Amino acid sequence: MAQQRNKQLPCDSVGVCMICNQTPLEIDILHCRTCATPWHVPCLPLLPLTIFDWICIDCSQPVDNNHVADAPATPIARGLVSTIHAIENDTSLTSEEKAKKRQVLIGGSSKQPIENNNKSNEVFDVFNSKLNCSICLTLLERPITTPCGHNFCLKCFEKWVKQGKRNCSNCRTEIPAKMASDPQINVQLATTIQMARSESVAHGKIFVTIPKDHFGPIVAENDPTRKRGVLVGDTWESLMECMQWGAHFPHDARTAGQSSHGVQSVALSGGYIDDIDHGNWFLYSGSSGRDLSGSKRTNKNQFFDKKSERKNEAFRLSCQKGYPIRVVRSHKKKRSSYAPKAGVRYDGVYRIEKWWRKIGKQGHKVCRYLFVRCDNEPAPWTSDLSGDRLCPLPIIEELNGAVDITERKGDPSWDFDEEKGCWLWKKPPPLSKKPVNIVDPIDETKIKFDVEKARRVSLKIKDRLLKELGCTICHKVLASPLTTPCAHNFCKACLEGVFSGQSYIRERASQSGFALRTKKNIMKCPTCSTDIVDYLPILKVNTDMKGVIESLQRDF
């Protein structure tokens, strides 16, 4: 018993002491002032000196607020809760700084909050305020749900378990061994969060005054909000957010361009295996050549030869004219050592110096382009204080077997000026064929119209999100949602109805005069083949999901 008491465990979610396995009397229970967790006083190794201002061992470690960001990668579990509370109570920090410190403490990196630009973001705010990880207190990333109905970021949960914790940090319910070793992502919840994030940004405000076919850098005069333009090294959480600042407008395509106008920007985010990235120059493969029908839309395998048409002709035109092309790199470009570790980063403007076709690694013809950096700002991966200079083109060995080689014959439109020592337009940029985005000042006469428009957008987003939050049994919006250990979600009444009248255990007939012990029945999840018989007697509503659903149904 003494050895057990050294573990210093509290009471579980049903009030049973996890040391002596007994339900203590009310007079023998002491609640922590910080986390409100109940503890059995006789099982504490040291009797508390006070019962009104007592702090449990999980919350009692000293914290230095000035060094939270320097916390070790694996924080001490005992002081984790108290550290987070100390951050929350630090009045010198803004809400964004608190969120950053919390995430650094847990995961070693910070999540950049999406700016609340307009009415449509209120839908995302519902998720951001209600679907928070019980450990890092920020919006769930790759969420997992415990059988007791609490949600955690996968990374936070794994760190918690690696610290030897086998109880929910919220209610102290024991975490099943199978879940601790192999947590399953709540895909439905993760998809809905991502949808809410994407919708809020997609309907968000564009902050720069440029048309969508703008060529070259985005300068300060096009940035009425910050008055500095888009700078090399600017990073966003996703292409959706990058779109708001005009660095790359398409959120679901690698290329922004038109065959008769040229290419304005490209996003390096995976692509073909033929792509080669050397930072200041890279080889890029053009669009098409993959089967994008049905479920193969994300297939990276090439099924037919690429033809010189549409976007590929846009690349050829930009090569011939020498137009500057904005380049953003995504963390998804795993084969590049120049990709950012997270998010999407603006890396400046490049020119296409050569255009050709060749047989690629997958046995089909690919359109290939040589991009060379030509920006006045230094690249994010260098320590240089100035931008690029004119330099000889790299030797490309694959040109020996290439066909349809295109090179620029005349002077480029964007070139280096030796006298001024910078890159600039030597010829006028192409005239825009699309309207310029206008960032209007507040107009009282438009407020009523804008509010009504935003309300309609919010209703459409709400309907899509509620449709996503559906039960696979009744095909309606989840009511009192439950999350099974296999990470599937059902209405509580629906799941209970599936197994109504069935016994969790069955008696076994005696053999040779010996009575056999009872045996559990196998009860499979309605969605998969996982046995959830141990979960059914203790159904716990996922209160966070329920809160989001009720808010969407009530407020929008």
Side-chain angles (χ1 to χ4, degrees):
M1 178 64 72
Q3 185 178 1
Q4 283 186 317
R5 289 185 179 180
N6 289 333
K7 294 181 179 179
Q8 300 189 46
L9 298 176
C11 300
D12 61 19
S13 60
V14 295
V16 177
C17 175
M18 289 189 282
I19 296 295
C20 64
N21 295 322
Q22 296 179 1
T23 302
L25 299 175
E26 187 65 31
I27 59 174
D28 290 333
I29 293 178
L30 188 60
H31 292 269
C32 172
R33 175 176 61 85
T34 302
C35 65
T37 302
W39 295 72
H40 188 198
V41 175
C43 290
L44 292 174
L46 296 175
L47 293 179
L49 299 177
T50 175
I51 62 174
F52 298 105
D53 198 32
W54 180 75
I55 300 177
C56 71
I57 190 169
D58 285 345
C59 304
S60 61
Q61 296 299 310
V63 178
D64 184 354
N65 292 332
N66 297 324
H67 295 85
V68 171
D70 299 330
T74 305
I76 300 174
R78 291 179 177 178
L80 185 60
V81 177
S82 59
T83 304
I84 292 175
H85 279 282
I87 294 173
E88 286 298 305
N89 295 329
D90 190 344
T91 57
S92 65
L93 299 176
T94 65
S95 59
E96 292 184 2
E97 290 171 337
K98 290 178 181 179
K100 183 176 180 180
K101 281 181 174 286
R102 288 196 306 263
Q103 187 60 24
V104 168
L105 177 67
I106 297 297
S109 63
S110 60
K111 307 173 191 175
Q112 296 296 328
I114 295 178
E115 189 171 348
N116 191 355
N117 302 318
N118 57 18
K119 178 73 176 178
S120 64
N121 270 9
E122 290 185 8
V123 177
F124 178 71
D125 290 341
V126 171
F127 286 76
N128 206 20
S129 62
K130 294 183 180 295
L131 285 178
N132 292 327
C133 171
S134 297
I135 295 178
C136 68
L137 305 182
T138 59
L139 182 64
L140 292 165
E141 291 282 354
R142 305 177 70 193
I144 63 101
T145 305
T146 57
C148 52
H150 295 114
N151 304 292
F152 303 88
C153 302
L154 177 62
K155 180 184 288 187
C156 296
F157 180 80
E158 289 178 335
K159 284 188 176 247
W160 181 265
V161 171
K162 286 180 180 178
Q163 292 164 3
K165 296 292 185 179
R166 293 296 183 270
N167 301 92
C168 172
S169 65
N170 203 335
C171 66
R172 303 295 177 177
T173 299
E174 184 178 356
I175 299 171
K178 185 175 181 181
M179 182 176 191
S181 61
D182 185 25
Q184 300 295 311
I185 294 177
N186 191 332
V187 177
Q188 188 177 17
L189 187 57
T191 301
T192 310
I193 292 173
Q194 182 58 39
M195 184 184 295
R197 189 197 306 272
S198 300
E199 291 284 4
S200 67
V201 178
H203 294 284
K205 182 178 179 182
I206 304 298
F207 294 105
V208 290
T209 57
I210 61 171
K212 290 190 175 181
D213 57 357
H214 171 82
F215 285 85
I218 301 172
V219 296
E221 64 188 54
N222 299 126
D223 181 7
T225 302
R226 300 177 301 184
K227 303 186 186 307
R228 69 172 180 84
V230 177
L231 304 180
V232 170
D234 280 355
T235 304
W236 304 276
E237 186 172 312
S238 65
L239 282 174
M240 299 292 294
E241 191 177 354
C242 170
M243 176 192 71
Q244 294 184 275
W245 293 99
H248 183 68
F249 277 111
H251 67 276
D252 56 355
R254 298 195 306 153
T255 305
Q258 307 79 33
S259 59
S260 61
H261 199 50
V263 174
Q264 294 87 43
S265 62
V266 296
L268 305 184
S269 58
Y272 293 90
I273 60 175
D274 301 83
D275 292 355
I276 301 173
D277 191 359
H278 287 271
N280 285 349
W281 66 271
F282 60 87
L283 299 182
Y284 189 76
S285 300
S287 60
S288 77
R290 286 184 281 183
D291 186 354
L292 299 180
S293 61
S295 61
K296 296 181 180 179
R297 182 161 296 277
T298 58
N299 199 326
K300 288 185 171 59
N301 293 326
Q302 187 179 356
F303 291 90
F304 48 88
D305 292 347
K306 294 182 181 178
K307 298 179 181 179
S308 178
E309 59 186 7
R310 296 187 300 180
K311 292 291 177 66
N312 294 323
E313 278 303 307
F315 282 107
R316 189 201 293 265
L317 179 60
S318 288
C319 174
Q320 294 170 334
K321 298 292 187 180
Y323 292 152
I325 300 174
R326 296 185 301 278
V327 172
V328 297
R329 282 180 171 86
S330 168
H331 71 283
K332 296 181 180 179
K333 190 170 178 60
K334 304 299 184 183
R335 294 191 293 269
S336 172
S337 59
Y338 296 91
K341 293 182 179 180
V344 179
R345 186 187 65 218
Y346 174 59
D347 287 347
V349 296
Y350 288 67
R351 274 190 330 205
I352 300 176
E353 300 297 335
K354 293 180 184 290
W355 186 107
W356 67 95
R357 289 202 295 163
K358 77 174 191 79
I359 301 297
K361 294 181 179 180
Q362 295 182 354
H364 297 274
K365 280 188 178 180
V366 292
C367 298
R368 301 280 279 165
Y369 326 112
L370 169 61
F371 278 72
V372 177
R373 196 172 190 275
C374 50
D375 200 283
N376 290 314
E377 295 183 68
W381 50 83
T382 71
S383 58
D384 297 339
L385 299 178
S386 59
D388 305 308
R389 304 281 296 189
L390 278 173
C391 57
L393 296 181
I395 298 174
I396 309 299
E397 295 182 358
E398 69 179 57
L399 281 170
N400 295 331
V403 296
D404 298 339
I405 299 177
T406 298
E407 298 183 76
R408 189 169 48 253
K409 303 300 182 182
D411 293 332
S413 299
W414 175 266
D415 204 4
F416 189 79
D417 189 299
E418 293 289 350
E419 293 184 0
K420 296 182 179 180
C422 66
W423 297 86
L424 46 77
W425 287 100
K426 290 288 190 175
K427 300 177 183 179
L431 294 176
S432 173
K433 297 182 179 181
K434 298 185 178 183
V436 176
N437 176 65
I438 303 299
V439 180
D440 291 326
I442 296 177
D443 185 351
E444 297 294 337
T445 61
K446 293 178 60 180
I447 290 179
K448 184 176 180 180
F449 171 79
D450 290 341
V451 169
E452 178 60 25
K453 181 180 179 182
R455 188 188 69 82
R456 291 196 300 269
V457 170
S458 296
L459 288 174
K460 291 180 180 179
I461 297 174
K462 178 212 72 170
D463 291 340
R464 284 195 287 265
L465 293 174
L466 287 176
K467 186 177 180 180
E468 188 68 29
L469 290 168
C471 171
T472 56
I473 298 176
C474 67
H475 303 291
K476 297 179 181 179
V477 177
L478 288 164
S480 297
L482 305 172
T483 304
T484 62
C486 48
H488 294 118
N489 302 291
F490 306 96
C491 301
K492 183 177 181 181
C494 292
L495 191 61
E496 289 176 335
V498 170
F499 302 100
S500 177
Q502 300 183 40
S503 175
Y504 301 137
I505 60 174
R506 60 184 173 91
E507 301 291 337
R508 302 170 69 189
S510 61
Q511 295 180 2
S512 303
F514 294 96
L516 299 180
R517 289 180 295 177
T518 57
K519 185 177 181 179
K520 290 182 180 178
N521 284 321
I522 295 178
M523 296 185 173
K524 295 182 179 180
C525 168
T527 300
C528 66
S529 59
T530 303
D531 183 10
I532 59 173
V533 66
D534 290 331
Y535 169 72
L536 293 174
I538 53 167
L539 297 179
K540 297 289 185 180
V541 173
N542 190 330
T543 55
D544 292 341
M545 286 186 69
K546 181 180 179 182
V548 168
I549 292 170
E550 290 178 347
S551 294
L552 292 175
Q553 292 173 327
R554 179 182 64 250
D555 299 336
F556 297 93

